[in-house]
Amino acid sequence: MAEALRPFRLRGCGGPQKFGVAAGSLRGLLRKGCRLLQLPLAGSRLCLYEDGTELTESYFRALPPQTELVLLGPGESWRGCASDIERLLAAFCSQQGAVVDAARRLLTDEQAPRRQKLLADLIHNLSENILAEDKEDDKKWFEGLESRFKNKSSYLRHSCESRMRGYMREVSGFISNVHPAARDAYRGIIDLMADKLKSVKYNGCYFDRREEEEAARLCTAEGWFSCQGPFDRDDCPCKHSINPYSNRESRILFSTWNLDHIIEKKRAVVPELAEAVKTRDGREVNWEYFYQLLFTLDNLKLVHIACHKKTNHNLSCDKTRIYRKKKQTHEIS
């Protein structure tokens, strides 16, 4: 009975190009590889790309599909990834003068600032440790933070909670501007909002990558956040994005990003709430509508500081949602 074919990625030791080859045995793969790369079958052999381990028939059968392999001709050797580095360094040494001249041109012509930015971003990205979550796995990320934070999500969640608490303080502090006769009703709404916020842990899930379903509108499972401003355009023109879980610098930079109220908190939402309480005239204020505008993603967007529109948004609350009908109670006679 013929062996089932399994796919592998095959390359020679003299170049980076890879080929997909399927075979059911080591001998069959070696034969196909030699024909493909035009090497003699006699004296050729296969090894693992990553560490240079030479394959035997039993080892071959234990390999998972799509394993990357190197086909060696007679007299050739492979020492794993280090062989690629050696070849790169050899090429650099043989063309050192040309490489230096090219580097100088890259750093002095009119495109130099952009290229320098790309190189800085490359170095920055290479220092990322996105998948690490706990403190012991990425201690540098936690430098400068209180010792009570044991994982990245707990700190980002705390940061979001702090912002929400700040919004709540602003709403509470506005009570001095509310008509004296309406202040008790205003305080009652504040209490309802505070209880709601506590029940959802101040919406800290918005910045917790472990709460994927809740956070999906702002970020991916890996923790990437995209700028959603300005609100009057289709998208962020600069395509700002950040992953605060990646490294300490990104975590610090993320603190400069803003949660922007589309319908403005200070200019529109809170004054409208105070006016609604004052002029309710027996109607029930729809406090949950104002809660959504103040504390949820219905009216909040994450924006890079450069995209935070400080001028008047010229948007107002939906007048049809400020009040709601009181629930009718029916007496049984």
Side-chain angles (χ1 to χ4, degrees):
M1 182 176 176
E3 295 277 357
L5 298 180
R6 290 184 297 143
F8 296 92
R9 289 177 295 163
L10 187 64
R11 57 178 283 185
C13 72
Q17 188 175 8
K18 301 172 188 176
F19 303 89
V21 181
S25 66
L26 177 62
R27 184 69 179 175
L29 182 59
L30 187 61
R31 188 182 301 111
K32 288 184 178 181
C34 287
R35 188 162 56 244
L36 180 67
L37 298 179
Q38 298 182 338
L39 290 174
L41 183 60
S44 293
R45 58 209 189 281
L46 288 163
C47 67
L48 293 180
Y49 167 76
E50 61 182 20
D51 62 9
T53 301
E54 192 167 327
L55 301 189
T56 62
E57 190 67 50
S58 59
Y59 193 4
F60 168 80
R61 290 177 180 172
L63 292 177
Q66 300 299 342
T67 298
E68 187 169 346
L69 304 173
V70 177
L71 176 60
L72 301 175
E76 292 180 331
S77 63
W78 184 260
R79 299 193 301 110
C81 303
S83 294
D84 266 344
I85 298 173
E86 288 174 350
R87 191 173 69 251
L88 175 63
L89 292 176
F92 175 81
C93 290
S94 63
Q95 300 292 328
Q96 184 172 347
V99 172
V100 170
D101 289 341
R104 284 175 177 162
R105 288 194 299 273
L106 287 173
L107 297 176
T108 56
D109 66 16
E110 69 278 1
Q111 294 294 321
R114 185 173 298 177
R115 294 192 182 106
Q116 289 170 352
K117 175 66 166 58
L118 290 172
L119 287 171
D121 288 346
L122 174 61
I123 294 170
H124 177 76
N125 291 334
L126 289 174
S127 67
E128 290 182 346
N129 195 2
I130 293 174
L131 297 180
E133 170 67 13
D134 297 327
K135 188 172 185 177
E136 57 266 25
D137 296 326
D138 194 355
K139 292 181 180 179
K140 185 175 177 59
W141 192 92
F142 291 84
E143 289 180 4
L145 300 182
E146 297 177 38
S147 58
R148 62 190 173 104
F149 298 115
K150 304 302 181 183
N151 56 63
K152 295 178 181 180
S153 290
S154 67
Y155 172 74
L156 270 298
R157 191 168 59 246
H158 166 77
S159 296
C160 181
E161 292 172 6
S162 297
R163 296 190 192 196
M164 297 298 171
R165 290 176 189 271
Y167 298 158
M168 190 73 248
R169 286 193 296 271
E170 289 184 55
V171 178
S172 300
F174 195 80
I175 196 167
S176 61
N177 299 300
V178 178
H179 191 277
R183 286 177 183 173
D184 286 344
Y186 188 86
R187 288 191 186 94
I189 289 177
I190 290 175
D191 291 341
L192 290 171
M193 289 183 175
D195 289 341
K196 175 76 170 178
L197 272 177
K198 290 176 184 176
S199 71
V200 294
K201 300 179 180 178
Y202 291 88
N203 288 328
C205 62
Y206 289 159
F207 297 114
D208 187 341
R209 63 175 167 183
R210 295 177 302 179
E211 301 285 349
E212 293 179 23
E213 184 176 350
E214 292 287 342
R217 288 174 60 185
L218 276 182
C219 62
T220 68
E222 291 77 23
W224 281 99
F225 294 81
S226 296
C227 177
Q228 300 177 332
F231 75 91
D232 55 353
R233 299 181 186 174
D234 293 335
D235 199 0
C236 163
C238 298
K239 306 298 181 184
H240 295 120
S241 64
I242 193 170
N243 190 327
Y245 300 92
S246 61
N247 51 46
R248 180 173 177 269
E249 290 73 19
S250 293
R251 186 257 295 171
I252 294 172
L253 183 60
F254 187 60
S255 66
T256 67
W257 284 48
N258 293 304
L259 274 174
D260 190 16
H261 287 85
I262 301 172
I263 302 175
E264 294 170 278
K265 175 177 79 272
K266 292 181 179 179
R267 289 191 178 104
V269 181
V270 178
E272 188 70 65
L273 173 60
E275 183 66 19
V277 173
K278 174 187 172 183
T279 60
R280 66 190 187 282
D281 192 24
R283 294 172 292 182
E284 183 178 353
V285 176
N286 186 5
W287 68 269
E288 290 179 322
Y289 169 60
F290 289 98
Y291 173 89
Q292 290 172 352
L293 295 181
L294 290 167
F295 304 110
T296 75
L297 297 182
D298 288 349
N299 191 47
L300 282 169
K301 61 174 184 175
L302 186 66
V303 295
H304 185 279
I305 189 171
C307 292
H308 190 183
K309 186 176 180 180
K310 299 290 187 178
T311 56
N312 198 324
H313 292 186
N314 294 315
L315 294 174
S316 58
C317 301
D318 183 349
K319 300 293 185 181
T320 66
R321 300 184 64 187
I322 291 175
Y323 300 103
R324 62 186 177 191
K325 293 181 179 179
K326 288 187 175 181
K327 295 181 181 179
Q328 299 293 323
T329 57
H330 301 280
E331 295 183 1
I332 301 176
S333 56

